[in-house]
Amino acid sequence: MDLIQILALALLQGLTEFLPISSSAHLILLPVLLGWQDQGLAFDVAVHVGTLLAVVVYFRVELRRMLADWLASLAGSGQTADSRLAWAVGFGTIPVGLAGLLFADSIEQHLRSPLVIAATTVLFGLLLWWSDRSGARRRDEYSIGWKDVLVIGCAQALALIPGTSRSGITMTAALMLGLSREGAARFSFLLSIPVILLAGGFEARELFRQAGPVDWQALGVGTLVSAVSAYLCIHFFLKLVARIGLTPFVIYRLLLGAFLFWVFV
């Protein structure tokens, strides 16, 4: 890959991983539209590491409290708001993990086409709009109960379909359950940590099975750019989402879906 491709793909991953517009769709479509060769598994692992670093660093204070209280709960010290949130993140990851084990190969073979991405981009964009308009928006992420975990976790499993958007579908479900925009976004971002770990681990396992040279400079640049862009994306999204809502992202999804239908139909 040349420097332009490295920067473009890493920036795209960093921005779209946490915005409700689907990172997988953009990473599939951009090389197709520009005629670029596939970036390879090593680069995919590198940009996943970058986005993971970004979300862990951004939520480092909350994660430290969650981990400490979760360990204390295991030792029988009782539950706190932070330990319950940690359990919610853990259990909310189970559905997507199971779905990945069962259906990842089928999805890879049959659902990575531009038309599937166009359809899911539009459909789940409209669901995002409806949940943002109709949700009560009265609760924060610490109020999440087991029913909420089940619904949001199962919704997250749908994000294996390209174009759905993991952050978008989890925010949609959380808003439908009455969470505020900030609470829905924060829980979605916390929920991304084990998911990115699982995805990166799966890709790393596949990478280790392959023999070949590694462009460490490209991987380093990709990791750094994706980390910085993802951190800034999280920061400004959480600052602005309560004020601007999710309609701008819905409009973008509808325009992108219409463009893909126009190009590929």
Side-chain angles (χ1 to χ4, degrees), residues 144-163:
I144 286 175
W146 292 116
K147 182 189 78 171
D148 304 319
V149 171
L150 178 63
V151 172
I152 297 171
C154 289
Q156 182 171 234
L158 293 173
L160 292 171
I161 305 171

Side-chain angles (χ1 to χ4, degrees), residues 14-256:
L15 293 176
T16 59
E17 179 67 41
F18 299 106
L19 295 180
I21 56 176
S22 180
S23 61
S24 62
H26 287 77
L27 290 173
I28 291 169
L29 290 171
L30 187 64
V32 171
L33 293 172
L34 296 180
W36 289 345
Q37 291 184 342
D38 185 85
Q39 61 268 22
L41 270 178
F43 191 79
D44 288 344
V45 172
V47 294
H48 270 112
V49 169
T51 52
L52 179 63
L53 287 172
V55 70
V56 168
V57 170
Y58 190 87
F59 288 103
R60 61 191 180 278
V61 175
E62 292 90 340
L63 290 171
R64 194 178 301 122
R65 289 200 310 262
M66 288 166 62
L67 179 60
D69 286 6
W70 178 74
L71 291 173
S73 74
L74 290 178
S77 298
Q79 297 290 338
T80 67
D82 283 302
S83 68
R84 285 192 295 270
L85 185 58
W87 282 111
V89 169
F91 280 107
T93 307
I94 293 174
V96 71
L98 292 175
L101 289 174
L102 293 173
F103 303 115
D105 290 340
S106 297
I107 291 171
E108 183 74 21
Q109 293 174 15
H110 304 296
L111 297 180
R112 288 176 66 88
S113 74
L115 290 181
V116 170
I117 292 172
T120 53
T121 296
V122 171
L123 173 62
F124 290 110
L126 292 173
L127 276 177
L128 180 65
W129 172 80
W130 181 79
S131 66
D132 191 38
R133 290 291 299 270
S134 62
R137 302 205 298 266
R138 294 173 181 169
R139 303 165 53 200
D140 65 14
E141 66 272 25
Y142 289 98
S143 69
I144 286 175
W146 292 116
K147 182 189 78 171
D148 304 319
V149 171
L150 178 63
V151 172
I152 297 171
C154 289
Q156 182 171 234
L158 293 173
L160 292 171
I161 305 171
T164 301
S165 172
R166 191 211 59 81
S167 61
I169 195 65
T170 51
M171 288 183 207
T172 296
L175 288 166
M176 288 180 179
L177 293 166
L179 269 72
S180 66
R181 290 166 176 162
E182 305 97 307
R186 290 175 67 85
F187 186 66
S188 174
F189 295 163
L190 289 170
L191 203 56
S192 74
I193 294 172
V195 174
I196 296 172
L197 274 172
L198 288 173
F202 178 79
E203 291 170 344
R205 186 189 67 174
E206 294 298 314
L207 178 62
F208 290 142
R209 292 176 177 176
Q210 302 175 4
V214 175
D215 186 347
W216 292 106
Q217 184 176 11
L219 300 189
V221 173
T223 301
L224 178 62
V225 172
S226 64
V228 172
S229 58
Y231 185 93
L232 293 174
C233 177
I234 295 169
H235 175 76
F236 287 108
F237 184 84
L238 289 174
K239 291 284 187 184
L240 295 173
V241 67
R243 193 164 40 184
I244 67 174
L246 295 168
T247 301
F249 304 101
V250 173
I251 293 171
Y252 173 80
R253 290 181 70 122
L254 296 178
L255 292 174
L256 176 61

